[in-house]
Amino acid sequence: MRRLTIRQRIALWFTIGFILMGTIVRMIVFWRLDQSLSDLDEPAEIAALEGFDEFDVPIDRRPEDVTLADGRTLREVIEVAQQEFRDDTLRELFIWSGIAVLIVAVLAAIVGWWLSGRALAPIDRITRAARSISAQSLDRRIDYDGPADEVSALASTVDDMLDRIEGGVAAQRQFAAMASHELKTPLAVIGLEADMAGDDPTSTSVAELAERVGAASQRAARLVDQLLELSRSQIGLLNPAPVDIGEVWADAVEARRPRFDEAAIRLDIDIEPAVVDGDVDLLRSLAGNLIDNAVAHNHPNGFVRVRVRTGGSEAQVTVENSGPVLD
């Protein structure tokens, strides 16, 4: 069964509420009128209702002592007239008040439908704007300019959510581009070594092939770990804590000293203690990446200069090398 829309439910509850309130008012009026009619027991009044003139009733005799031509006493005529008058009045009131309640209920439904449409029009606008936003148009926003009420808060919440979604999608695209770019080199090396060994098995020894393929696979594994750390940082799975980045950079440099010696690159370091709030694993990955790039994009007998300094409440890290300028 299809559920009613919010607008239909508002109009329905508006109508039901009016019917209930109208019914309560109707019952109170009906009860009070019944009480009032029950008090109508004066002989002259009731006799006048039956066409008797008040002068036809002897004032020195009681109604039950007056016998009419048809054999009934005046008291009986009064009581019958009183009951018929009450019944007729209450019946008319019941019928016409019911008709009035139904007519006004229909009007209440129409007014409720119109008012709910007016109240929900901004929400309908937000819904249509949100539906028109796709992965290719995440830069669009609702930009609600109405009064500062619940609808405005809803529109602001949707805009904030779109900001987060757009940032997440951009980060995913950047991550995918990084992964594909960084993994190309080690995978290409492994593929090239395999092709060369397949074309000419005697061109290289098994030990040399294993060494080169192993180095490429280790590089690929390191890249995967670094990309996973990057992904973890972009989705907020961090463990920030006070970290001495001077110590982090000193450890990264010491772990790579053999590479400097192999590439005949001079190392110049000036590292001071500098404590910052951050994720120690990501900071280690950052230091390792920059130093590896400084060595890879360099030339023999060049230099790599690493500086870690503090200035006020900030820490500054500088990595320079003698290699070509990169875009």
Side-chain angles (χ1 to χ4, degrees):
M1 181 179 179
R2 187 178 67 88
R3 296 188 61 183
L4 297 177
T5 64
I6 295 179
R7 184 178 186 184
Q8 290 172 338
R9 290 200 297 269
I10 291 176
L12 179 61
W13 283 114
F14 192 85
T15 304
I16 292 175
F18 180 83
I19 291 176
L20 291 176
M21 295 298 296
T23 301
I24 293 174
V25 173
R26 183 185 178 201
M27 292 175 62
I28 294 174
V29 173
F30 195 85
W31 170 79
R32 187 66 190 93
L33 182 61
D34 181 57
Q35 295 296 315
S36 298
L37 293 176
S38 298
D39 296 336
L40 188 61
D41 55 2
E42 288 298 324
E45 296 177 357
I46 303 303
L49 295 177
E50 280 292 296
F52 295 97
D53 186 86
E54 59 179 342
F55 298 107
D56 294 335
V57 181
I59 60 175
D60 58 345
R61 300 175 62 186
R62 293 181 301 173
E64 58 269 21
D65 296 334
V66 177
T67 302
L68 303 178
D70 57 2
R72 293 182 298 167
T73 64
L74 182 58
R75 170 62 67 183
E76 293 174 344
V77 173
I78 292 174
E79 290 177 351
V80 170
Q82 181 182 16
Q83 187 63 43
E84 289 179 353
F85 177 74
R86 283 181 52 208
D87 292 344
D88 291 342
T89 303
L90 294 177
R91 182 169 53 253
E92 290 292 320
L93 175 64
F94 183 81
I95 294 174
W96 287 105
S97 63
I99 294 174
V101 169
L102 290 177
I103 292 174
V104 179
V106 173
L107 295 176
I110 296 173
V111 173
W113 179 265
W114 180 76
L115 289 177
S116 60
R118 295 267 299 179
L120 296 174
I123 297 180
D124 182 62
R125 172 187 165 190
I126 294 174
T127 302
R128 285 186 280 107
R131 285 177 177 172
S132 66
I133 298 173
S134 63
Q136 287 72 37
S137 59
L138 286 175
D139 57 334
R140 294 182 55 189
R141 295 295 180 267
I142 294 174
D143 293 330
Y144 181 71
D145 56 358
D149 53 12
E150 292 82 356
V151 177
S152 176
L154 174 62
S156 298
T157 301
V158 173
D159 283 342
D160 292 341
M161 180 184 66
L162 290 173
D163 288 338
R164 294 192 295 271
I165 293 175
E166 183 181 14
V169 171
Q172 287 181 349
R173 290 172 178 170
Q174 183 182 19
F175 178 81
M178 285 181 181
S180 61
H181 174 74
E182 295 294 336
L183 290 174
K184 272 183 180 179
T185 300
L187 293 178
V189 170
I190 295 173
L192 180 61
E193 294 291 342
D195 291 340
M196 292 175 60
D199 294 339
D200 185 5
T202 62
S203 62
T204 183
S205 65
V206 174
E208 292 175 347
L209 178 63
E211 182 181 359
R212 289 195 293 267
V213 172
S217 64
Q218 289 177 2
R219 181 182 178 188
R222 287 196 303 271
L223 287 172
V224 169
D225 291 339
Q226 292 167 357
L227 290 170
L228 288 176
E229 290 178 355
L230 175 62
S231 175
R232 184 165 62 92
S233 70
Q234 288 177 339
I235 62 177
L237 298 178
L238 302 177
N239 298 306
V243 179
D244 184 357
I245 59 172
E247 182 180 345
V248 170
W249 281 88
D251 292 343
V253 169
E254 289 300 322
R256 289 161 175 79
R257 276 192 181 275
R259 295 192 58 189
F260 288 98
D261 297 337
E262 293 174 2
I265 294 176
R266 177 171 51 87
L267 179 62
D268 180 14
I269 60 174
D270 182 10
I271 298 177
E272 299 178 355
V275 178
V276 299
D277 287 332
D279 186 289
V280 64
D281 294 329
L282 290 177
L283 289 171
R284 286 172 181 165
S285 178
L286 169 65
N289 284 340
L290 289 177
I291 295 174
D292 288 341
N293 287 334
V295 175
H297 302 286
N298 212 326
H299 53 74
N301 301 318
F303 70 88
V304 171
R305 185 178 298 117
V306 178
R307 296 280 187 274
V308 178
R309 297 183 179 276
T310 57
S313 61
E314 296 182 349
Q316 184 179 36
V317 178
T318 305
V319 180
E320 299 175 284
N321 74 345
S322 53
V325 177
L326 302 178
D327 292 336

